[in-house]
Amino acid sequence: MKSSTCFLLAVALVGLASSLVYASDPSALQDFCVAVNDSNAAVFVNGKICKDPQMVTADDFYFSGLNKPGNTSNSVGSRVTQVTVNQLAGLNTLGISLVRIDYAPQGLNPPHTHPRATEVLVVVEGTLYVGFVTSNPADPNMKNKLFTKILHSGDVFVFPEGLIHFQFNVGKKKAVAFAGLSSQNPGVITIANAVFGSDPPISRDVLTKAFQVDKNVIKYLQSQF
């Protein structure tokens, strides 16, 4: 085999190895990094400062209260109780988090996205209509595809990372679900709130053009947020 051919093969193998190396987040290099608000701490990982390992206790990995229903007396009839790194410091660097979602009858967890996490949802009580929408297709003549399912107690559904999704209680009684997320801090963007309730507001000219409606419709929608 000629040297030039060997060189090209080596470059190709290195490129392949590099693509594999950067295919996922790097693994943590310590057992844990309990987040702490301490300006004198020295180690800064995943947006949080690490607590001195000698000062860590079992309480740093403990959260209580997910047995308590959330208050659904609001405009959408649902309540999300989060257990991210902001509520449970021991989650820092571990790449997971959890939420409890309570739904009143006809309650909705509005269309939203998690920019940093895939979500797996399990229904423990009630009946939910759930779904997600794909990203824009490569063919501009095609539409975003909607995947939906009716879920009952014990059913599980997955929402891929970054895609718009929702849950709606179609039953006549309350519903409860728990969801695991593949990030210590998955983030959430509620579509309607972000588009119509930003501060400062998005220009009505922009939204009128984007939604192809009268400017008074946009004015009304912005007033709701």
Side-chain angles (χ1 to χ4, degrees), residues 163-186:
L163 298 187
I164 296 174
H165 58 284
F166 60 87
Q167 304 104 37
F168 180 58
N169 181 4
V170 294
K172 296 181 179 179
K173 299 180 179 180
K174 70 175 184 178
V176 181
F178 287 85
L181 299 114
S182 61
S183 171
Q184 68 180 44
N185 187 19

Side-chain angles (χ1 to χ4, degrees), residues 81-208:
T81 303
Q82 297 183 334
V83 187
T84 70
V85 69
N86 296 316
Q87 290 79 37
L88 181 55
L91 286 176
N92 196 41
T93 75
L94 299 186
I96 57 172
S97 57
L98 176 73
V99 298
R100 170 182 172 141
I101 315 171
D102 291 275
Y103 313 81
Q106 301 298 296
L108 171 71
N109 189 11
H112 63 281
T113 72
H114 300 294
R116 294 180 289 277
T118 292
E119 176 181 346
V120 56
L121 180 98
V122 56
V123 179
V124 297
E125 183 179 346
T127 304
L128 296 177
Y129 168 66
V130 307
F132 68 87
V133 182
T134 61
S135 56
N136 294 354
D139 184 349
N141 296 314
M142 297 179 64
K143 294 184 177 181
N144 305 65
K145 188 170 183 179
L146 172 65
F147 294 88
T148 63
K149 193 76 175 176
I150 298 292
L151 304 183
H152 304 280
S153 179
D155 290 344
V156 176
F157 199 81
V158 173
F159 305 108
E161 180 175 337
L163 298 187
I164 296 174
H165 58 284
F166 60 87
Q167 304 104 37
F168 180 58
N169 181 4
V170 294
K172 296 181 179 179
K173 299 180 179 180
K174 70 175 184 178
V176 181
F178 287 85
L181 299 114
S182 61
S183 171
Q184 68 180 44
N185 187 19
V188 60
I189 303 171
T190 304
I191 307 304
N193 297 47
V195 172
F196 298 110
S198 65
D199 184 18
I202 298 174
S203 165
R204 287 175 186 163
D205 291 330
V206 171
L207 297 181
T208 298

Side-chain angles (χ1 to χ4, degrees), residues 8-140:
L8 291 174
L9 179 59
V11 169
L13 290 174
V14 169
L16 177 61
S18 297
S19 67
L20 293 175
V21 167
Y22 291 102
S24 61
D25 291 336
S27 298
L29 299 180
Q30 67 279 340
D31 288 342
F32 50 76
C33 171
V34 173
V36 60
N37 291 321
D38 182 359
S39 60
N40 294 319
V43 183
F44 192 78
V45 180
N46 286 11
K48 298 291 183 179
I49 297 172
C50 293
K51 187 175 185 179
D52 182 347
Q54 300 302 317
M55 302 298 292
V56 170
T57 70
D59 284 340
D60 292 315
F61 303 96
Y62 172 77
F63 179 91
S64 179
L66 284 189
N67 60 313
K68 300 176 182 178
N71 184 0
T72 59
S73 298
N74 52 59
S75 59
V76 294
S78 71
R79 177 69 63 185
V80 178
T81 303
Q82 297 183 334
V83 187
T84 70
V85 69
N86 296 316
Q87 290 79 37
L88 181 55
L91 286 176
N92 196 41
T93 75
L94 299 186
I96 57 172
S97 57
L98 176 73
V99 298
R100 170 182 172 141
I101 315 171
D102 291 275
Y103 313 81
Q106 301 298 296
L108 171 71
N109 189 11
H112 63 281
T113 72
H114 300 294
R116 294 180 289 277
T118 292
E119 176 181 346
V120 56
L121 180 98
V122 56
V123 179
V124 297
E125 183 179 346
T127 304
L128 296 177
Y129 168 66
V130 307
F132 68 87
V133 182
T134 61
S135 56
N136 294 354
D139 184 349

